[in-house]
Amino acid sequence: MYQYTEFDRSFIAERVNHYREQTTRYLDGKLSEDEFLQLRLRNGLYLQRLAPMLRVAIPYGTLSSKQLFALGKVAREYDRGYGHLSTRQNMQFNWPELAEVPDILADMAEVDLHAIQTSGSCIRNVTTDHFAGAAADETIDPRPYCEIIRQWSTAHPEFEWLPRKFKIAVTGAAEDRAAIGVHDVGLRVHRSDQGEVLFDVYAGGGLGRTPVLGALVRSELPIEHLLTYLEALMRVYNRYGRRDNKYKARIKILVRAMGVDGFRAKVDEEWAHSKNGPGTLPSAEISRVEAFFAPPNYTEQPDISDALAEQRLANPKFSQWLQHNVIEHKAPGYAAVTLSTKATGVPPGDVSDTQIDAVAQWAADYSFSEIRISHEQNFVLPHVPKQYLFTLWQKAQAQNLATANARLITDMICCPGGDYCSLANAKSIPVAEALQERFDDYDFQYDLGELNLNISGCMNACGHHHVGHIGILGVDKKGSEFYQISLGGHAGHSELAPSLGQIVGPSIPRAEVCDVIAKILQIYVDLRIADESFLGCFKRVGMAPFKERIYAPSH
Amino acid sequence: MHHLINKHNEEWQLADTQSSDQAQIEWRDAENWQPGQALKLPVDAEINAQWSQASIIGIDFPALTDGRGLSLAVLLRSRLHYAGDLRGLGAVHEDILHFMVRCGFTSFELPESRDPEVALSCIAPHKQYYQSSVVDPLNQFDRV
Ligand code: HEM
Ligand code: SF4
C-alpha cells in the first residue's frame, strides 16, 4: 500500500484547518449558502433534505486495517452505527452534524484519510479493480498509476472548477472490473513487449441521463507522458465543456459535439505544447511509487487441498461460498475473498460498525492488514492464505458477511432511492429487498450463474442500471412509482466489450417487478445452451424472444 | 469600489487603491486594445500572441465556479510567456485565491462585499502542493 509521506500528512492537516475555518465563516454568516455549498462539496459533505451525508475518499478502494477501524469509529460516534459502501469504492456516512464535520475530518486525517474532492465539479477519487495486485488475470498492477493520478489531481489549481464532476478509472487486468468504459476517462494499462508501461485512454463515457461508452482517444501512451496528456485533455474539457446546462456539462457531451476525431485532434494540439514539459514523469518517481505496491511477503503455504475437500463436504454452505466468493490469486496458496454485504433484508452496501470492526480485524489476522471496497459495494480481503479460509468463513457467517452470492442475482447494485434521496422518482431499496426474498433460493441462483442486476431510483443512474445485465430504473408515471426494465447491459466484466442495456418495453408498477424479473429468468433458462451465461444468451438471441414473452397476455 | 490585493516585497497585501499607479486603469477589451494598454479578457477568450505586450491583463470571472479563467491564465503564462501583472476581476472569492495564484494571477480585485483580511489569511493555505504549476515548475516529484 501507499504510505503517506510527511508532505501528504501536512497537506491533509492544512486542508482540514482550512475547511474548519470555512465552516466557521459559514456559521458566522460570512459565507452564503451557495458559496459554502461549493466548498463543503469539495470536502465530501452533501446536505440532502432527508439525509446529510459525508463521503470519505478511499483512494482506489484500498484501505488498511487501521483505517477501517477508524471508519468504524466514525460510524459509531457520528453516524447511527452504520456506514455505506459506495459504487465508487468510497465510504459514506449519514447524519453528520455540519459543525462536527471538521472534527470527523481531523479524526480521518490521523489515519491518513480524507474526503477531498469526493463531490463537486472536480476530478473525483480515482477508482480501479478491487482485485488489483491479487487477481490471477492481471497483466499489470494499476495501483501505482492510480496513486500518481491521485496526487496529481488533488487540489489541482486549474481543474478544481470544471463544468461538471470528472471520474477516472484504471484497469490492468484481462477482465475490466473497474468499468473504464463508463467513466469520463478510462485507462487500460498494459506492457509493451519491451516491458514499457503503456496506457490506452478512453474518454467521454458515463451513465446518468445520457449513457455513453467512452471512445478510444489515444492508444499506447507511454507512462512518462501520462500526466501531461491528461492535463491537455482536462484543459480542453475545462475550456470548452458546456457550462450553461448541467445536464449537458459532462465530457461525454463535449466529445459527442466535437466528434471523437475532433476532440482527439484538439487534445493533441494542446498536448503538443506540454509534452515533455515539467509534468513529464521522471522514471525515478515512477519506481518510487511502484515500490509501495510491491507484493506483500507471501510465505510458502501448506497444501491443504485434502482438508479443504473435507470441509467442503461437511459444510455445503462453505463449499458454495468458496465457489462464488473466493477467487484465484497470483500467489500460490492464497486467495482473494469477497465479503458480501448483500444479505437478504439489508440495503446493499450498508454495514454496521460491528461489521466494519470485524472486517478490519480479519484483514489484520488474515490479509496483510489490507482491505478493498468493490464497486459492487462489497468488502474484499485481497490476500488470504487458503489455510484460513474456513475459519474466516465461520467468522464472516457470524457477522452476516458470508452470503455466497458474489456476482449472482442477489449481489445487486442499488442506489438509496426514494427512501433517502430527494431526486428519486421511485424507491429502490424495497425493490431490491423484494427481489432478494423472491430469489433467495441458492440452488436457483447458482443455476442462473453470473447475473448483475442493478437498480436506480431515477435517471441519474447512481445504481448503474444501464450496465446491469438486468437493469431496473424507477420512473414517475402520473405520480406513482413505475419501473423500466432493460436487458443486456454490462460494464466490461467479461471478455465482451461493455454495452448499455436496451429497454424491454413499457414500464411496470412496483407490484409486478418481481414477476417480470422471474419471467425474464425463465425465458433465459429455456433458451440458454449448455452453460451459457445470461449475458451470453441475451447477446445471442437478442431482445425479441424476451419482449414477446414478457408482454404476452397471461392466460 | 473593490479591494485590491497584490504583492509587495514578495508579501501579499491589501493595496492602496488611491495610489497613483492603481487609481485609474483604463481597461480595454481585446477589440479595442493596443500593445502597451490594459487588456480585460472574458474567461472564454482565445489567446493572441500580441497580448504579451499588455501593460496589465485582467480576467473577468463570471462566477466563482467558472474555472475557464484559470486555464486562460495558465495559457497566458505558459504559452504566451506573458510576464506582467495578471489580475483576477469579477467574481473573485477568497476561497479561490490560492488556485488563482497557482495559475499565475498576481493581483485581485476583491468585491467590496468580501473581507480582505479573510482573503489575505487564506491566500496560501498550504506550504507545498502536489503538482507543478506555472508559478512553481518544480515537479511534485522533485519535492520528495
Ligand atoms: C442520496 C443522495 C444522492 C443523490 C441526491 C445523488 C445524486 C446524483 C446525481 C444528480 C447524479 C448524476 C450526476 C451527473 O449526471 O453528472 C449522480 C450520479 C452518480 N451517483 Fe449519486 N446520488 C446520491 C447517492 C448516491 C449513492 C449512495 C451512490 C453510491 C452507492 C451514488 C453513486 C453515484 C454514481 C456512481 C454516479 C455516477 C453515474 C455516472 O457515471 O454518471 N449516488 N448522483
Ligand atoms: S439514482 Fe436517482 S434516486 Fe438513486 S440515488 Fe441517484 S439521484 Fe437518488
Side-chain angles (χ1 to χ4, degrees):
Chain A
M1 273 183 73
Y2 181 69
Q3 302 296 324
Y4 265 27
T5 62
E6 271 318 300
F7 165 73
D8 293 287
R9 284 212 179 91
S10 59
F11 189 91
I12 302 303
E14 287 160 349
R15 174 76 172 218
V16 174
N17 289 340
H18 192 198
Y19 182 64
R20 188 184 295 282
E21 185 264 324
Q22 290 168 332
T23 303
T24 308
R25 265 190 279 141
Y26 167 69
L27 294 172
D28 291 348
K30 292 182 184 156
L31 283 173
S32 71
E33 230 25 272
D34 283 352
E35 288 162 339
F36 186 59
L37 165 81
Q38 296 301 333
L39 305 172
R40 65 172 163 76
L41 286 179
R42 283 166 179 76
N43 289 286
L45 181 63
Y46 279 89
L47 291 184
Q48 277 293 303
R49 182 163 53 87
L50 299 160
M53 181 189 88
L54 180 69
R55 182 180 291 155
V56 176
I58 313 293
Y60 36 96
T62 300
L63 279 169
S64 69
S65 287
K66 188 175 164 198
Q67 291 173 323
L68 190 55
F69 275 124
L71 291 168
K73 192 158 170 271
V74 173
R76 204 157 33 247
E77 292 179 3
Y78 298 100
D79 191 322
R80 300 175 183 174
Y82 279 91
H84 181 83
L85 309 185
S86 90
T87 50
R88 300 203 64 258
Q89 304 188 287
N90 290 323
M91 186 116 161
Q92 301 180 168
F93 298 99
N94 288 314
W95 324 108
E97 289 292 335
L98 188 145
E100 274 181 356
V101 169
D103 296 334
I104 306 179
L105 295 177
D107 286 359
M108 296 283 86
E110 292 288 315
V111 292
D112 304 342
L113 285 174
H114 62 75
I116 300 171
Q117 288 164 229
T118 54
S119 55
S121 297
C122 51
I123 304 176
R124 301 290 188 82
N125 188 25
V126 53
T127 54
T128 192
D129 184 348
H130 45 270
F131 293 129
D137 73 335
E138 183 172 272
T139 45
I140 182 164
D141 183 348
R143 291 173 300 162
Y145 318 112
C146 292
E147 175 57 27
I148 286 172
I149 293 170
R150 177 192 78 82
Q151 299 200 10
W152 163 77
S153 60
T154 299
H156 195 292
E158 194 181 340
F159 306 129
E160 184 81 1
W161 307 90
L162 299 170
R164 202 75 173 81
K165 60 184 171 184
F166 202 94
K167 300 173 183 175
I168 301 177
V170 191
T171 187
E175 188 185 315
D176 171 16
R177 285 171 292 260
I180 62 168
V182 292
H183 283 77
D184 297 286
V185 160
L187 299 169
R188 176 177 283 286
V189 52
H190 53 102
R191 244 184 238 286
S192 71
D193 297 342
Q194 289 73 41
E196 210 188 353
V197 176
L198 303 172
F199 293 83
D200 292 343
V201 183
Y202 294 79
L207 298 173
R209 286 169 194 248
T210 322
V212 186
L213 295 173
L216 184 65
V217 290
R218 174 156 285 274
S219 49
E220 311 203 332
L221 176 72
I223 170 81
E224 64 268 27
H225 299 308
L226 177 66
L227 297 186
T228 53
Y229 184 79
L230 286 178
E231 205 149 79
L233 184 149
M234 294 305 305
R235 184 169 299 144
V236 169
Y237 171 56
N238 192 35
R239 298 186 71 206
Y240 303 109
R242 283 180 65 171
R243 290 173 186 264
D244 58 329
N245 177 341
K246 76 170 189 167
Y247 299 118
K248 301 206 184 304
R250 296 282 293 269
I251 192 175
K252 60 194 171 190
I253 306 291
L254 179 68
V255 173
R256 186 178 277 184
M258 295 174 90
V260 176
D261 293 334
F263 178 78
R264 182 187 295 118
K266 193 80 188 163
V267 173
D268 284 348
E269 184 192 319
E270 189 58 46
W271 188 41
H273 295 280
S274 56
K275 190 176 174 185
N276 298 317
T280 307
L281 279 161
S283 59
E285 170 62 9
I286 301 169
S287 339
R288 185 186 74 89
V289 179
E290 282 172 345
F292 285 110
F293 299 92
N297 291 322
Y298 298 124
T299 51
E300 195 162 328
Q301 292 297 317
D303 179 4
I304 57 142
S305 31
D306 290 348
L308 264 186
E310 262 174 51
Q311 288 159 347
R312 292 185 79 149
L313 213 56
N315 302 278
K317 279 189 161 175
F318 173 60
S319 184
Q320 290 164 351
W321 183 77
L322 272 191
Q323 191 183 341
H324 295 283
N325 292 34
V326 177
I327 69 155
E328 274 311 309
H329 198 283
K330 278 181 178 176
Y334 286 80
V337 172
T338 299
L339 298 166
S340 170
T341 68
K342 319 291 177 62
T344 302
V346 180
D350 272 13
V351 283
S352 70
D353 59 331
T354 333
Q355 288 177 315
I356 296 173
D357 285 353
V359 174
Q361 189 58 51
W362 304 334
D365 294 343
Y366 311 118
S367 183
F368 297 94
S369 288
E370 208 179 308
I371 303 103
R372 307 285 172 77
I373 293 177
S374 74
H375 93 98
E376 290 89 353
Q377 305 173 272
N378 293 319
F379 281 122
V380 167
L381 296 183
H383 321 288
V384 180
K386 287 185 178 164
Q387 58 173 318
Y388 300 131
L389 285 171
F390 188 67
T391 316
L392 175 61
W393 172 74
Q394 287 176 311
K395 293 185 175 178
Q397 267 216 319
Q399 289 293 343
N400 205 16
L401 286 170
T403 311
N405 63 352
R407 312 180 77 169
L408 300 180
I409 186 166
T410 54
D411 185 11
M412 335 178 169
I413 298 179
C414 175
C415 81
D419 292 301
Y420 300 100
C421 173
S422 48
L423 303 178
N425 286 327
K427 290 189 179 169
S428 50
I429 291 171
V431 176
E433 276 179 12
L435 289 166
Q436 277 174 331
E437 265 161 38
R438 174 78 169 251
F439 304 116
D440 200 21
D441 176 349
Y442 281 105
D443 291 335
F444 180 62
Q445 287 197 48
Y446 296 147
D447 176 61
L448 292 174
E450 183 170 343
L451 213 168
N452 308 140
L453 190 150
N454 296 353
I455 311 176
S456 307
C458 78
M459 69 273 215
N460 286 317
C462 303
H464 299 190
H465 63 278
H466 303 293
V467 288
H469 301 170
I470 299 179
I472 302 182
L473 164 67
V475 292
D476 177 89
K477 242 189 188 173
K478 298 193 192 99
S480 46
E481 295 179 324
F482 272 67
Y483 296 85
Q484 192 177 69
I485 315 289
S486 55
L487 300 177
H490 85 104
H493 301 207
S494 85
E495 309 294 290
L496 302 165
S499 56
L500 300 169
Q502 305 165 35
I503 295 166
V504 176
S507 54
I508 50 174
R510 165 118 60 98
E512 289 171 28
V513 172
C514 283
D515 290 340
V516 168
I517 301 298
K519 265 193 204 171
I520 291 170
L521 299 176
Q522 189 55 52
I523 299 168
Y524 154 62
V525 169
D526 294 346
L527 295 180
R528 73 178 159 192
I529 299 173
D531 57 356
E532 193 175 42
S533 68
F534 179 87
L535 188 66
C537 175
F538 179 82
K539 297 265 176 198
R540 179 174 55 81
V541 304
M543 182 62 92
F546 286 92
K547 209 172 191 131
E548 218 166 89
R549 286 175 55 184
I550 293 170
Y551 293 98
S554 46
H555 1 227
Chain B
M1 272 315 291
H2 52 258
H3 312 284
L4 179 65
I5 291 181
N6 65 10
K7 256 189 167 171
H8 181 70
N9 293 337
E10 295 302 300
E11 294 285 332
W12 290 102
Q13 62 156 10
L14 178 60
D16 176 4
T17 37
Q18 304 309 316
S19 78
S20 57
D21 62 329
Q22 297 299 344
Q24 59 273 57
I25 289 180
E26 234 182 274
W27 294 108
R28 307 270 183 148
D29 59 24
E31 273 167 33
N32 301 303
W33 170 88
Q34 300 286 325
Q37 296 178 328
L39 174 64
K40 182 173 181 170
L41 297 172
V43 288
D44 62 354
E46 290 294 338
I47 54 171
N48 175 334
Q50 282 210 324
W51 294 349
S52 58
Q53 300 165 54
S55 62
I56 176 172
I57 299 181
I59 298 179
D60 194 6
F61 283 74
L64 83 89
T65 52
D66 196 324
R68 286 177 294 180
L70 299 170
S71 282
L72 179 59
V74 168
L75 290 176
L76 293 175
R77 293 297 191 202
S78 63
R79 198 79 35 95
L80 299 189
H81 305 290
Y82 170 68
D85 193 6
L86 181 56
R87 185 164 297 178
L89 309 174
V92 174
H93 190 276
E94 60 267 20
D95 290 294
I96 315 298
L97 294 182
H98 66 100
F99 297 111
M100 296 174 99
V101 168
R102 287 197 298 139
C103 290
F105 285 90
T106 39
S107 63
F108 306 96
E109 277 188 16
L110 191 70
E112 177 85 71
S113 59
R114 316 257 22 118
D115 181 342
E117 292 309 322
V118 172
L120 286 171
S121 77
C122 53
I123 204 162
H126 297 279
K127 288 191 289 294
Q128 277 188 304
Y129 290 89
Y130 278 105
Q131 324 71 7
S132 63
S133 69
V134 289
V135 290
D136 184 8
L138 265 193
N139 233 288
Q140 71 191 62
F141 321 110
D142 295 332
R143 190 196 55 237
V144 286

